[in-house]
Amino acid sequence: MAQLAHDMKHGGHDAHAHDHGHHDQEGLKMLGFWFFLATDLLIFACLFATYIVLRTHVDGGPTGKELFEVKGFMTETFLLLTSSFTSGLATLEMRKGNVKGLIGWLIVTVLLGMGFLGFEITEFVQYAMDGATMSRSAFLSAFFTLVGTHGAHVTVGMFWIIGIMIQLSRRGITDVTQRKVMTSGLYWHFLDVVWVFLFTVVYLSGMVM
Amino acid sequence: MKPSRFKKPFSIAALLAGLTVLLSGCSDQYPVLNPVGPVGQEELHLIKLSTVLVAIVIIPVLILLAIIVYRYRDKKGNTAPYQPNWDHSTKLEYLWWGIPIVIIAILGTFTAKSTFSLTKPPVESADIKPLVIQVTSLDWKWVFTYPDQKIATVNYAEIPAGVPVQFQLTADSPMNSFWIPALGGQEYAMPGMDMRLWLQADKIGTFDGNGANFTGEGFAHMDFKVVSKSEADFNAWVSDVKKNSPALTVDGYNKLTEKGTAEPQTFSSYPEGLYENTVDKNGGMYMKHDMSNMSGMENMPSMAK
Amino acid sequence: MDSIKQFASTFFVTGDPMIYGADVSIVLVSVAILFYLTKFKKWGWLWREWLTTVDHKKIGIMYLIAALLMLFRGGVDAILMRIQLAAPNMKFLESQHYNEIFTTHGTIMILFMAMPLIFAMFNIVVPLQIGARDVAFPFLNAVSFWLFFMGAMLLNLSFVIGGSPDSGWTSYPPLSELGFSNGPGENYYLLSILISGIGSTATGINFLVTILKMRAPGMKLMKTPMFSWSVLATCIMILYAFPALTVALILLFIDRIGGAHFFTLTGGGNPMMFINLFWIWGHPEVYIVILPAFGIFSEVVSTFSKKRLFGYTSMVLALVSISIIGFFTWVHHFFTMGAGADVNAFFAIATMAVAIPTGVKVFNWLFTMFRGRISLTQPMLWTLAFIPCFAIGGATGVMLSVAPADYQYHNSYFLIAHFHQVLIGGVVFGMFAGLYYWWPKMFGFKLNDRLGKWSFWLWNIGFYVCFMPQYALGFMGMTRRIYVYGWDRGWAPLNMVSTIGAFLMGIGFIVMVWQIIYSIKHGERDTTGDPWGGRTLEWSIPSPAPLYNFAEIPVVKSRDAWFEMKEEMAQPGYQKKPVHIEPIHMPKNSGIPFFMAVFFFIGGFGAVFEWYWMAIPGLIGIFACLFARSFQYDTDYYIPVEEVEATESALGRL
């Protein structure tokens, strides 16, 4: 991570050097963003802990095994992992200085994210129609909150990336837009990592338990 | 410049005054310092030990502070040495990292020992059978059920002196804490949990008990009396209750669960399994299940002590 | 018409003369402020200079004012409680009212008094002390402040609209769940802390980056002044602690409005989960507020003993170890929850271990004074009062950490006395020391000495009179949060004494306010920028500091950078280097932080009453602000050389 922050700092652009005491703004922001991600990670950690404590507390209601459908969550996983990959491709295009390629891959990323969300919402609605709502049991409260918090993060991320695309199309690749692409990309990969844990702790072990 | 001369002695005086107040108090008024049972005594022993150990550090600090502030005050003609650049001494650093470590090590050892020993009955002996009392915290009253005697009481309990009592604690309401300071420390009474607390009275007498964890509007009125009697008197009381008191019905219990305070009451019987059902209803099944997943806890009836 | 009447009678808190009095005074004060602003045409000034500012010094001052107001509010709560407890069977407050008061007292004092007070110190001092022109993220800094402010307003609003929270500042479920706390009060508690908590987390990130990345050239981490070090340690703790609180509050809120079962009695909920999450934040939180105080004492002791800080490395080590061990102590808040002997023993010993580095710090302060020359200025007085007070409070803390003995102290007045002693004797005394110490740097004048001493002695005597008896009351079996007690258990005399002490502290506070008002006119002006003979960089610039802080960023060679520079200047043959001024890069003011916080307030207020028509637009507004900010590229500017030169020569620095 230090390497990344370092890369950004010395991203090889115009002279800040002329004024002493003017710190490398983009580098600072990058570091700050890493710290933000740390706090966000802890939020997920607490939600995971809650889920693990409460996952057997089904109160006579449906268990994960009865609820989860392999096809649904496998599709979600596939979409999100692919979107993380395309987000990486976007960054590569940015390194090459290709705005069009950059925006193109970002569009693909957002579309895949939308697909992920679509499946997730369908999944939630399906559960709710089967009577498995958040107020059914502690297990379901924890399930919807944990998975839903991740989904909300993905939603915010999509809007964020759309905003950055607009800025890229107006301003091209500059120090500032480059940092924004980097932070949003970081965020997107982070959500991907969280999903891998979700997939394992919630869905896979839910199918087994 | 006056403050320096008076402030330190003042705070020491305040501390001493505080201690005097504590130590001179008559026994009825300071139940924690004058416990009547082995549990309270062991806790008092730790209180005293920890007081002495922290005093070993605190008192020299206070004295040192007073001396230093007096001796090195900025005053014309002060001949005390002045070394503005002296900012390090490895020896001294070892000293004040070392002393607290030793003290904490001593205190920690005693703490760990007592923590484990207090999970056992206070006096283990083959010929004394411990008494079990189940305690349920309601809004805002305590219900005591005696599973062996099959009687129940509200905001009032009797125990035989010299017999270890295992209190089993739960709540059918927000969590509370069950505390009889003269006998010993408290333990939480929590919904869905079956907590264990060992206490014992070595003397005959009447002791105050109260809830110690806030439960809402009527919390301040959740005080109760615990009467310790000779075994014969206790048995006489039990049979008197069985003969002369009304029975606690399911309806009667449901009435008790409604919000409100209550006067002391006694009941000749109570619905079978009342306490166990209350624990289960509020999530007890999950606790047992969760506990069985934890290693090293297999022998415990619950996660409680 | 009737429906309006009915709505109004539940919406506004009615039936209590004290609350009507509060209503009237709120309306009167608001009208007076509006009148003043309009009459003297101050609206533009207020907007340009304060509401939109991103200057860390002004944000610090706003934090300070808010914190002192909250200290007043929390203090009034305390006085009301002490009146109710002064004698047995008092009829001054109803149970419900008393419960609301101790809840808001605790919540306000920790989250809306102690936190902004430390943030005030962070903001005012850190950039100046490390030789920076602002914090790393000035815009975010303004967002943090306004989130705190709106959170505080939301909580205080509960007093007159809807009803205050009443399940204690720890708000344990299931008491804080529906069925036991139905009104909007608990929602106010959850949302106000949530909103200000987001701000606190952001402040943590902000100052962490500031201290890591923006120190003046030459200021290695091990040459950073001790206060900034303490802020660094604090920020790391904020980062790790606050997420747990956020989750605890959100889950409880979902329980309450979404019918979920995280902590409920039914549906398989587990209330202990909340208690764990709460204290995973809650215990580090007390170190979060105390570590900056330790930093302040280190600065003050060294300055007023005219001697280098003793054992700098040891002090840093102590700070870092406290901030790490602090995360392994939370279970000591509920030894009596029956976590098992092994768990209790571990957390008991971890808790005791915190006493080791803390003790080391005390010894290092003592030896900073040893062979120094101590002047008893106001900041030093508070520091000297802190040492015995905190030592005794720390000692009772070690006593409390002995798990089996804690079974006798838990939730009793012994505990109450202990944490007030460390929080007042530590945090409040510490912040007062900092306040007196840096006041000239903030405002350009010192606070009056004579009134300050009155206030000091009233506070100190009042403190011991108030809290020493409470230790004894704990041994007498008196538990916290009871609103009434009888004659039978002998608690009456000591409670009366304690109440008298509370009043003394109250008078001390009033004298302090009078001292500030008096000193605005009559206080000794600071024309040098270095009124105390300071040792760190903040004293090298004029008081109050100019907008850009440092005309030229200083180069640091040693720990006491400014002291070293002064010695160099005093050398015979010292040649003043010509000041080399360049255009200074500064952030532009922005109204977005304020508007964003207003949207948070609207959203929060809507959520309190579960009015989605209000909550959702609030939420959309928040995101709109974020989006708008993302599209702003014109966010900073350069102060031209001529303007800097003009300012500097006006300040007599060229």
Side-chain angles (χ1 to χ4, degrees), chain C residues 453-522:
Chain C
K453 284 199 172 135
W454 270 100
S455 168
F456 172 81
W457 285 106
L458 281 163
W459 266 98
N460 269 273
I461 296 169
F463 175 82
Y464 288 98
V465 174
C466 183
F467 290 105
M468 292 301 130
Q470 294 188 4
Y471 283 116
L473 284 168
F475 286 135
M476 295 170 105
M478 182 164 168
T479 51
R480 70 195 295 195
R481 293 173 175 173
I482 52 167
Y483 78 103
V484 75
Y485 56 90
W487 285 102
D488 54 328
R489 293 178 76 175
W491 299 343
L494 287 175
N495 270 302
M496 180 55 95
V497 174
S498 180
T499 300
I500 293 170
F503 271 93
L504 289 177
M505 289 161 79
I507 299 169
F509 179 75
I510 292 170
V511 174
M512 190 173 262
V513 172
W514 172 239
Q515 178 197 21
I516 292 173
I517 296 168
Y518 178 87
S519 308
I520 290 175
K521 259 202 127 153
H522 305 286

Side-chain angles (χ1 to χ4, degrees), chain C residues 9-59:
Chain C
S9 69
T10 50
F11 185 67
F12 295 108
V13 178
T14 51
D16 191 311
M18 273 199 287
I19 288 174
Y20 290 135
D23 289 344
V24 171
S25 53
I26 288 171
V27 170
L28 284 181
V29 170
S30 314
V31 168
I33 292 172
L34 294 180
F35 178 76
Y36 174 84
L37 288 171
T38 314
K39 174 100 195 275
F40 295 97
K41 302 201 169 56
K42 290 282 192 192
W43 283 104
W45 166 82
L46 182 70
W47 178 254
R48 281 189 307 274
E49 296 290 318
W50 296 97
L51 300 189
T52 60
T53 189
V54 292
D55 179 1
H56 68 97
K57 300 178 286 293
K58 283 186 174 159
I59 289 174

Side-chain angles (χ1 to χ4, degrees), chain C residues 189-467:
Chain C
Y189 165 93
L190 294 169
L191 287 154
S192 62
I193 299 179
L194 211 49
I195 292 172
S196 68
I198 297 169
S200 303
T201 313
T203 302
I205 295 174
N206 209 339
F207 279 84
L208 188 55
V209 176
T210 305
I211 297 173
L212 286 179
K213 286 283 179 186
M214 294 178 72
R215 299 188 311 277
M219 188 183 274
K220 301 245 162 55
L221 213 46
M222 287 312 273
K223 284 182 184 167
T224 310
M226 196 49 69
F227 177 69
S228 295
W229 248 114
S230 73
V231 174
L232 182 72
T234 307
C235 288
I236 294 172
M237 297 195 86
I238 289 178
L239 244 57
Y240 281 99
F242 268 80
L245 176 70
T246 307
V247 169
L249 298 176
I250 289 180
L251 297 186
L252 183 52
F253 188 63
I254 295 176
D255 267 3
R256 289 176 61 85
I257 67 156
H261 293 289
F262 288 105
F263 314 123
T264 51
L265 278 176
T266 54
N270 184 346
M272 288 182 295
M273 194 66 206
F274 178 91
I275 298 172
N276 274 292
L277 286 171
F278 184 87
W279 287 115
I280 286 173
W281 162 79
H283 201 80
E285 167 68 10
V286 303
Y287 297 124
I288 286 170
V289 293
I290 196 73
L291 289 188
F294 287 174
I296 292 173
F297 294 129
S298 302
E299 302 289 343
V300 169
V301 160
S302 164
T303 302
F304 296 106
S305 304
K306 297 174 195 64
K307 188 162 166 275
R308 281 194 199 159
L309 183 66
F310 198 86
Y312 178 94
T313 316
S314 210
M315 288 293 231
V316 171
L317 192 64
L319 277 176
V320 174
S321 39
I322 292 173
S323 65
I324 293 168
I325 306 170
F327 281 95
F328 298 97
T329 61
W330 82 88
V331 169
H332 74 220
H333 291 270
F334 43 85
F335 281 142
T336 55
M337 203 159 82
D342 41 359
V343 175
N344 277 1
F346 171 81
F347 280 92
I349 292 167
T351 306
M352 292 172 195
V354 176
I356 300 167
T358 313
V360 167
K361 294 193 85 73
V362 172
F363 281 111
N364 277 318
W365 288 319
L366 285 179
F367 275 77
T368 304
M369 292 188 269
F370 182 73
R371 297 190 180 162
R373 279 292 176 271
I374 301 166
S375 13
L376 293 166
T377 54
Q378 292 185 73
M380 192 62 178
L381 277 182
W382 287 100
T383 306
L384 291 178
F386 148 82
I387 292 177
C389 196
F390 196 79
I392 299 168
T396 54
V398 172
M399 290 166 69
L400 275 158
S401 72
V402 180
D406 179 67
Y407 280 53
Q408 285 283 36
Y409 304 128
H410 187 69
N411 275 352
S412 76
Y413 263 79
F414 188 91
L415 171 75
I416 301 293
H418 157 72
F419 73 67
H420 281 91
Q421 185 150 22
V422 284
L423 286 173
I424 295 178
V427 181
V428 176
F429 284 15
M431 293 306 134
F432 284 171
L435 187 68
Y436 285 107
Y437 185 54
W438 284 301
W439 187 274
K441 190 48 64 190
M442 288 181 244
F443 300 106
F445 61 89
K446 282 190 190 175
L447 289 168
N448 179 277
D449 217 40
R450 190 176 46 87
L451 286 169
K453 284 199 172 135
W454 270 100
S455 168
F456 172 81
W457 285 106
L458 281 163
W459 266 98
N460 269 273
I461 296 169
F463 175 82
Y464 288 98
V465 174
C466 183
F467 290 105

Side-chain angles (χ1 to χ4, degrees), chain B residues 74 80 82 93 186 188 217, chain C residues 95 306 314 373-374 410-411:
Chain B
D74 192 8
Y82 176 46
E93 294 286 353
Q186 62 196 288
Y188 280 167
E217 203 181 338
Chain C
S95 171
K306 297 174 195 64
S314 210
R373 279 292 176 271
I374 301 166
H410 187 69
N411 275 352

Side-chain angles (χ1 to χ4, degrees), chain B residues 1 3-4 7-8 10-11 14-15 21-22 29-33 40 43 46-47 50-51 54 57-58 61-62 64-65 68-69 72-74 78-89 92-93 96-97 100-101 104 107-108 111-112 114-116 118-119 139 173-175 177 179 181 184-188 190-191 193 195 197 208-217 219-221 225 259 281-283 286-287 297 303-305, chain C residues 95-96 99 102 166-168 172 174-175 179-180 265 268 270 272 275 305-311 314 317-318 321 333-334 336-342 344-345 348-349 352-353 355-357 360 362-364 366-367 369-376 381 384-385 387-388 391-392 395 398-399 402-405 407-412 453 456-457 461 464 468 471-472 474-477 479-484 488-490 494 559:
Chain B
M1 295 303 103
S4 73
K7 203 160 61 55
K8 264 16 81 180
F10 167 73
S11 46
L15 177 68
V21 170
L22 292 182
Q29 289 199 341
Y30 290 92
V32 174
L33 302 179
E43 285 159 351
L46 277 172
I47 292 174
S50 56
T51 311
V54 295
V57 179
I58 294 307
V61 165
L62 296 181
L64 208 59
L65 175 67
I68 289 177
V69 172
Y72 297 102
R73 70 205 182 286
D74 192 8
N78 190 344
T79 53
Y82 176 46
Q83 292 178 303
N85 292 327
W86 182 53
D87 65 355
H88 179 72
S89 157
L92 285 173
E93 294 286 353
W96 54 63
W97 279 94
I101 288 176
I104 296 305
L107 194 56
T111 300
S114 295
T115 308
F116 282 95
L118 284 177
T119 60
D139 274 347
S173 66
M175 61 183 271
S177 192
W179 191 25
Q186 62 196 288
E187 182 92 8
Y188 280 167
M190 295 187 289
M193 297 284 284
M195 310 286 285
L197 176 68
D208 288 303
N210 40 275
N213 194 70
F214 182 62
T215 54
E217 203 181 338
F219 169 68
H221 302 291
K225 299 278 183 202
K259 286 177 184 173
K281 170 183 85 164
N282 293 321
Y286 301 115
M287 299 307 154
M297 292 257 183
M303 99 191 279
K305 32 194 78 225
Chain C
S95 171
Q96 176 63 22
N99 299 343
F102 73 65
D166 61 356
S167 43
Y172 282 3
L175 180 63
F180 302 102
L265 278 176
N270 184 346
M272 288 182 295
I275 298 172
S305 304
K306 297 174 195 64
K307 188 162 166 275
R308 281 194 199 159
L309 183 66
F310 198 86
S314 210
L317 192 64
S321 39
H333 291 270
F334 43 85
T336 55
M337 203 159 82
D342 41 359
N344 277 1
I349 292 167
M352 292 172 195
I356 300 167
V360 167
V362 172
F363 281 111
N364 277 318
L366 285 179
F367 275 77
M369 292 188 269
F370 182 73
R371 297 190 180 162
R373 279 292 176 271
I374 301 166
S375 13
L376 293 166
L381 277 182
L384 291 178
I387 292 177
I392 299 168
V398 172
M399 290 166 69
V402 180
Y407 280 53
Q408 285 283 36
Y409 304 128
H410 187 69
N411 275 352
S412 76
K453 284 199 172 135
F456 172 81
W457 285 106
I461 296 169
Y464 288 98
M468 292 301 130
Y471 283 116
F475 286 135
M476 295 170 105
T479 51
R480 70 195 295 195
R481 293 173 175 173
I482 52 167
Y483 78 103
V484 75
D488 54 328
R489 293 178 76 175
L494 287 175
R559 273 170 201 160

